[in-house]
Amino acid sequence: MINRRLIRIKVFKVLYSMVASGSDSLPEAEKSLKYSCEKTLHLYYFILNAAVALRNAAAARIETGLKKFNPTPEERNPNRKFAQNMVSSYLDQDAAFGKFCEEHGLVWTEELAVLIKKMLSSLMERDYFKEYMNDAECSLAQDCDLFIKIFSDEELFEDNEDLESCLEDMSLFWLDDLGYVLGVIVRNLEHLRSRGTMPRPDVFLKDDDREFAYKLLESAVTGYKRYMDIVVSNTSNWDPDRVVTTDLVLIVQGIAEAVRFPNIPLKVTINEYVDISKFYSTRNSKVFVNGLLDRILKKMMDCGEVVKTGRGLIEN
């Protein structure tokens, strides 16, 4: 599930936290990284489970309308299409999905009922939802298309302040991962639409990515002091108070990656940490990180401290 960009970000956060706390314990760092990665998978299940919660809220809304003393014509003859949609039914009938959500507390409980009802009311005002409800077609493909639109709707999920507050209360790890998780959900819904089954992701996309995560963390933690000395020696007019700590951590981690992984091109490593700096540091950090990391790694290549092997890498 987690790609290498997100792995780099998670390692960066663990490394930054260690620097801020003064810790140098690799086992503790590995424990923190493991927990952070697992929480991303948990977020995937929780957000996907919103499909079931929205369906249940829609069904409850219909039942409430039917029980009114003087229901409206619409309440008397409700449109049950969304309350009977096949995506929610598919998830609800997936025993493994339900068990995972129950065991890890990833269900939309009564305490979250107000948020779900608010999301449902907002959804019902969407033009794409009205078109769906007025269409006589009933198919898994159409229901998948609807939920692809729902999970891609920024106002409902990614930029929903009420949801952000909820996620922050549940886990400090979740807010930064929401956009990525929504993308994975959309891709898996597309898989369900085309193949009739929904992939069940693991924490990492591949075993190689798991290995990459822990080796990168180990290299950065154990080599931190030595790599920081290299950074200091390559910074003219060194003044620690004027350099953002996040920039230093990113550069050190970039050096650690270049040293530890001979099969990853320097350009890839540099670009990755420059991009991360755009989101986790200052406006000018990308220039500083790019310039200093590029200069340091080229020097280390020249003296043999960084070695690249493999097709297309030796010449570079």
Side-chain angles (χ1 to χ4, degrees):
M1 178 177 178
I2 300 176
N3 64 13
R4 292 206 172 187
R5 166 65 63 83
L6 193 52
I7 287 172
R8 289 180 173 97
I9 291 173
K10 288 183 176 295
V11 171
F12 158 68
K13 288 182 177 181
V14 171
L15 190 61
Y16 179 82
S17 178
M18 292 184 66
V19 172
S21 65
S23 171
D24 60 357
S25 171
L26 180 58
E28 285 300 315
E30 291 174 336
K31 182 178 178 181
S32 296
L33 179 61
K34 180 177 183 293
Y35 183 77
S36 175
C37 293
E38 289 175 346
K39 292 303 290 184
T40 303
L41 182 64
H42 291 181
L43 177 62
Y44 169 87
Y45 275 86
F46 179 70
I47 294 298
L48 183 56
N49 208 12
V52 178
L54 287 168
R55 187 277 309 272
N56 291 344
R61 188 183 184 117
I62 289 173
E63 293 306 313
T64 299
L66 289 171
K67 292 177 181 177
K68 285 185 178 179
F69 177 74
N70 188 24
T72 65
E74 182 180 355
E75 290 171 333
R76 190 177 295 110
N77 298 287
N79 184 341
R80 298 178 180 273
K81 184 173 182 179
F82 182 66
Q84 297 173 343
N85 78 84
M86 298 181 193
V87 171
S88 297
S89 297
Y90 176 90
L91 295 172
D92 207 16
Q93 295 168 13
D94 186 334
F97 177 83
K99 182 180 179 181
F100 189 94
C101 290
E102 288 285 348
E103 288 180 346
H104 295 89
L106 306 174
V107 295
W108 291 74
T109 60
E110 289 298 322
E111 289 78 9
L112 301 174
V114 174
L115 173 57
I116 278 293
K117 289 178 181 178
K118 191 172 182 180
M119 292 173 70
L120 177 62
S121 295
S122 181
L123 173 61
M124 292 174 68
E125 295 301 316
R126 299 293 201 269
D127 288 339
Y128 65 80
F129 184 80
K130 293 176 182 178
E131 291 174 5
Y132 165 84
M133 294 296 285
N134 292 327
D135 192 332
E137 177 188 349
C138 289
S139 66
L140 176 61
Q142 188 189 54
D143 287 350
C144 286
D145 285 337
L146 173 67
F147 270 104
I148 287 171
K149 291 175 182 176
I150 291 174
F151 285 115
S152 300
D153 192 326
E154 293 184 357
E155 290 184 15
L156 284 179
F157 282 94
E158 192 162 7
D159 295 333
N160 185 329
E161 292 183 1
D162 292 329
L163 178 60
E164 286 182 6
S165 178
C166 163
L167 296 181
E168 190 172 20
D169 289 342
M170 295 181 72
S171 175
L172 294 175
F173 292 90
W174 277 0
L175 280 183
D176 286 348
D177 292 353
L178 179 58
Y180 179 80
V181 163
L182 287 168
V184 175
I185 288 174
V186 166
R187 289 194 296 274
N188 287 350
L189 283 169
E190 291 170 346
H191 190 282
L192 176 62
R193 178 183 59 192
S194 62
R195 303 188 185 184
T197 59
M198 196 162 188
R200 186 171 291 115
D202 199 352
V203 174
F204 295 95
L205 284 173
K206 301 175 296 183
D207 288 339
D208 287 350
D209 292 333
R210 183 189 303 274
E211 184 180 8
F212 171 76
Y214 287 100
K215 284 184 177 180
L216 176 58
L217 179 65
E218 178 187 16
S219 179
V221 171
T222 59
Y224 188 85
K225 185 180 183 305
R226 182 165 69 89
Y227 298 148
M228 180 58 74
D229 289 342
I230 293 174
V231 173
V232 173
S233 66
N234 281 273
T235 306
S236 57
N237 302 319
W238 172 252
D239 183 354
D241 295 332
R242 295 184 60 188
V243 179
V244 181
T245 304
T246 51
D247 291 353
L248 300 178
V249 174
L250 285 170
I251 293 170
V252 167
Q253 186 175 323
I255 296 172
E257 179 175 317
V259 172
R260 184 66 181 81
F261 299 96
N263 61 329
I264 299 178
L266 289 186
K267 185 177 181 180
V268 171
T269 295
I270 294 170
N271 288 343
E272 284 292 323
Y273 291 100
V274 169
D275 284 344
I276 293 172
S277 73
K278 297 175 185 177
F279 295 96
Y280 293 95
S281 201
T282 66
R283 185 174 60 181
N284 297 321
S285 290
K286 62 180 181 181
V287 177
F288 179 74
V289 172
N290 182 67
L292 187 54
L293 188 55
D294 180 69
R295 185 164 68 250
I296 289 173
L297 294 183
K298 285 181 178 177
K299 286 184 178 180
M300 295 180 74
M301 281 279 288
D302 291 340
C303 67
E305 291 184 80
V306 170
V307 177
K308 295 297 173 182
T309 59
R311 185 177 181 182
L313 296 178
I314 297 176
E315 294 80 7
N316 293 328

